Amino acid sequence: DADVTQTPRNRITKTGKRIMLECSQTKGHDRMYWYRQDPGLGLRLIYYSFDVKDINKGEISDGYSVSRQAQAKFSLSLESAIPNQTALYFCATSDARVSGTNNEQFFGPGTRLTVL
Amino acid sequence: AQRVTQPEKLLSVFKGAPVELKCNYSYSGSPELFWYVQYSRQRLQLLLRHISRESIKGFTADLNKGETSFHLKKPFAQEEDSAMYYCALGTGANNLFFGTGTRLTVIP
C-alpha cells in the first residue's frame, strides 16, 4: 500500500546537536508538510513544499530548515536543537491533482524527539 | 489571523448517548473546515470535510458561517468512537490550521 514513512520514530538528543528527521512517501503526491504537535497546542505547521523547487515557511519555522530532495522525500533539520523543540513531529502529504483548494492530507506515524 | 478553537480538551459520554464536539474558527476569507481523527495507535486521518456534506461513521458536521462554527455530532456514541479529534481550517493555500484537539472517551 502507498504510504508515508518517517525515520527515526524516536530520537533523544542533546542541546546544540544537529538533527535530521526524514519523511518518505510512495503515494506519488507532490505536496508535503512538516508539523509539530505539543500537548495542549495541537498541530502547528513548520514548513511545506508543493513540489521539489518549492519550499515555504509555515507558522513556526524558526529554528528549523527543510530539504525536498525528491518528490518523495522531505527532510526536516534542527540545526542546533534546544529543549523546547521536544515534541512529536508529523510529516504529511497531499495530492494537488485532487480537485478542491484544500485537499486531504495523509499523515505519517510521527517522530518523537526529545532534546535534553 | 486564522484561528481554530476547540474549547473541550476532554469529553466523556456514555455509549448510546449523543455527542457533540465543538469547533469555532476565525478567518476573514472563505473557509474550508475539516475534522481529523486519531484512534489509539493509528495515524491522524481525515474524518470528514464540510464541502462533502456527508456522514462518516455516523458523524456529521455543519458549517455555520454566522456562528463561525463546525461542530461534530453523532446521535449515538459507540465505544469505537473513543479517539482524539481535531478540527482544522483550510485557508486556500492548501495549508491547514488545527485546533488543540478534543479527546473523546465513550464509556461502556
Side-chain angles (χ1 to χ4, degrees):
Chain A
D1 285 343
D3 200 9
V4 182
T5 58
Q6 293 183 233
T7 56
R9 295 293 310 279
N10 290 281
R11 181 72 183 269
I12 300 173
T13 190
K14 294 182 179 180
T15 297
K17 293 292 187 180
R18 184 178 187 273
I19 296 297
M20 179 180 285
L21 309 183
E22 300 191 359
C23 177
S24 294
Q25 53 112 348
T26 56
K27 287 185 169 295
H29 291 171
D30 50 351
R31 299 179 174 182
M32 299 186 74
Y33 311 80
W34 274 106
Y35 293 90
R36 67 176 278 175
Q37 183 182 46
D38 298 274
L41 294 178
L43 281 81
R44 293 180 292 167
L45 182 64
I46 306 172
Y47 270 95
Y48 61 101
S49 169
F50 284 178
D51 65 40
V52 174
K53 297 180 181 179
D54 178 77
I55 300 290
N56 303 280
K57 293 183 177 181
E59 185 183 356
I60 53 163
S61 58
D62 287 349
Y64 301 94
S65 62
V66 290
S67 174
R68 186 80 184 265
Q69 303 95 319
Q71 188 197 37
K73 296 184 182 295
F74 192 36
S75 300
L76 176 71
S77 294
L78 288 68
E79 297 301 325
S80 179
I82 56 177
N84 76 0
Q85 291 177 313
T86 293
L88 188 55
Y89 290 84
F90 288 102
C91 175
T93 72
S94 69
D95 187 353
R97 294 167 297 178
V98 175
S99 62
T101 306
N102 290 283
N103 304 321
E104 179 179 359
Q105 293 189 14
F106 296 84
F107 285 81
T111 294
R112 187 168 298 280
L113 177 66
T114 303
V115 183
L116 302 176
Chain B
Q2 51 276 340
R3 175 186 285 183
V4 177
T5 303
Q6 293 181 252
E8 304 136 330
K9 288 187 177 181
L10 303 171
L11 181 63
S12 295
V13 299
F14 285 99
K15 178 182 175 180
V19 60
E20 181 179 51
L21 288 80
K22 291 183 168 51
C23 172
N24 287 89
Y25 68 91
S26 174
Y27 179 54
S28 58
S30 182
E32 289 193 49
L33 274 298
F34 305 80
W35 278 98
Y36 278 77
V37 61
Q38 188 169 26
Y39 300 103
S40 178
R41 292 184 291 278
Q42 294 187 29
R43 302 184 187 191
L44 191 63
Q45 60 189 284
L46 179 67
L47 178 62
L48 56 80
R49 65 179 79 188
H50 89 270
I51 60 172
S52 298
R53 292 184 165 276
E54 56 190 347
S55 173
I56 304 293
K57 298 184 178 182
F59 284 98
T60 59
D62 292 319
L63 178 61
N64 186 323
K65 291 187 177 181
E67 296 183 357
T68 60
S69 68
F70 188 58
H71 303 326
L72 184 67
K73 300 177 183 179
K74 185 170 183 176
F76 307 103
Q78 303 299 313
E79 290 180 62
E80 56 265 31
D81 297 329
S82 294
M84 192 74 177
Y85 291 81
Y86 291 96
C87 183
L89 167 68
T91 61
N94 210 249
N95 295 335
L96 293 178
F97 291 87
F98 286 84
T100 52
T102 297
R103 181 169 297 281
L104 174 66
T105 301
V106 179
I107 304 166

